[in-house]
């Protein structure tokens, strides 16, 4: 993996629909996929991540651009298995959920199909808040550690059926790096959205042996 420094605020890039942002066709060559990945990295570095954080009720504190080979992500969009793509990691300070926000979690759990737009679960174990959103053609998953102690684990985003209920796990779309959340800290991962549909995000907490699922949320983009 290669960590690439970048400015938190930059010129806002366009959203989905531009030809340059479309993934190559299934019969595309390795060179075409590599060109797309290079464009994706450039687009990530030009995107206004500070404004993106603000729109989610957060203040951007740190940002890192990391190139990685993610088998699940590559398979989902039909790319070569060894293609390197960019992941954007952020450390943020986010608003504490209100009682009204927390009440939204129980309402979401009763939904018969995956709702559209940003969704949060304010009742994960820990305790914590997990959110899933899409903006600027990026899908972002975040978890806020509202517990009193640090927590180590990772975020994972799944593709799920649009009629799924209770925000299950599904086919792995992207797995973030294992990291540690200090008390009160929010960390997020972002990848370019390459397919429309339903997604879920889950926080996996590290145990003495293995990891346990601390909860998730889901949305359709």
């Amino acid at each position: 993996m290669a960590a690439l420094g970048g400015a938190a605020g930059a010129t806002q890039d366009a959203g989905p629909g531009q030809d340059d942002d479309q993934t190559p066709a299934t019969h595309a060559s390795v060179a075409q996929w590599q060109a797309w990945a290079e464009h994706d990295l450039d687009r990530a570095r030009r995107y206004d991540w500070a404004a993106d954080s603000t729109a989610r009720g957060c203040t951007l504190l740190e940002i890192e651009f990391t190139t990685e080979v993610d088998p699940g992500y590559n398979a989902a969009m039909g790319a070569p298995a060894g293609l390197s793509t960019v992941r954007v990691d952020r450390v943020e300070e986010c608003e504490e959920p209100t009682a009204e926000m927390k009440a939204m979690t129980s309402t979401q759990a009763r939904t018969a199909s995956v709702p559209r737009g940003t969704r949060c679960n304010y009742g994960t174990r820990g305790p914590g808040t997990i959110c899933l959103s899409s903006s600027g053609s990026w899908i972002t998953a975040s978890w806020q550690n509202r517990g009193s102690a640090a927590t180590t684990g990772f975020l994972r985003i799944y593709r799920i059926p649009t009629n799924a209920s209770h925000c299950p796990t599904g086919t792995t779309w992207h797995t973030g790096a294992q990291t540690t959340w200090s008390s009160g800290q929010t960390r997020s991962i972002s990848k370019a959205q390459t397919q429309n549909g339903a997604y879920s995000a889950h926080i996996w907490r590290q145990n003495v042996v293995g990891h346990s699922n601390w909860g998730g949320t889901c949305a359709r983009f």
Side-chain angles (χ1 to χ4, degrees):
M1 291 186 181
L4 307 169
T11 301
Q12 183 77 29
D13 197 16
Q18 287 197 1
D19 291 342
D20 287 346
D21 295 340
Q22 301 302 310
T23 55
T26 54
H27 59 273
S29 66
V30 172
Q32 288 174 308
W33 277 105
Q34 290 174 338
W36 175 85
E38 290 171 4
H39 168 74
D40 191 43
L41 173 59
D42 178 66
R43 192 168 61 88
R45 297 185 67 131
R46 291 188 289 111
Y47 187 69
D48 194 339
W49 294 102
D52 184 278
S53 293
T54 299
R56 293 168 36 244
C58 304
T59 299
L60 178 60
L61 303 179
E62 300 175 22
I63 188 168
E64 187 173 49
F65 303 91
T66 301
T67 56
E68 62 180 356
V69 176
D70 186 323
Y73 183 76
N74 289 345
M77 62 179 175
L83 184 71
S84 293
T85 57
V86 62
R87 182 187 76 242
V88 182
D89 296 309
R90 282 176 283 176
V91 178
E92 300 165 309
E93 182 177 355
C94 300
E95 300 172 355
E96 289 290 322
T98 63
E100 182 180 5
M101 289 176 174
K102 292 178 181 179
M104 290 171 58
T105 295
S106 59
T107 301
Q108 178 178 311
R110 295 193 297 269
T111 303
S113 61
V114 180
R116 292 187 180 276
T118 299
R119 288 294 182 274
C120 295
N121 178 352
Y122 302 97
T124 66
R125 293 174 62 187
T129 297
I130 191 167
C131 294
L132 185 63
S133 62
S134 176
S135 62
S137 72
W138 302 91
I139 289 182
T140 296
S142 67
W143 187 69
Q144 179 185 29
N145 178 13
R146 303 199 321 272
S148 59
T151 297
T152 298
F154 62 88
L155 289 164
R156 178 171 285 164
I157 304 173
Y158 302 87
R159 294 293 307 278
I160 60 174
T162 57
N163 62 350
S165 59
H166 306 293
C167 298
T169 58
T171 302
T172 297
W173 183 73
H174 171 62
T175 302
Q178 179 146 302
T179 189
T180 298
W181 285 259
S182 59
S183 177
Q185 188 177 67
T186 299
R187 289 181 176 270
S188 69
I189 57 172
S190 300
K191 293 288 283 190
Q193 180 178 352
T194 56
Q195 301 94 21
N196 294 329
Y199 296 80
S200 71
H202 288 254
I203 170 70
W204 288 88
R205 187 249 192 185
Q206 183 183 34
N207 301 319
V208 175
V209 178
H211 294 77
S212 57
N213 189 338
W214 265 18
T217 190
C218 53
R220 188 155 39 121
F221 309 118

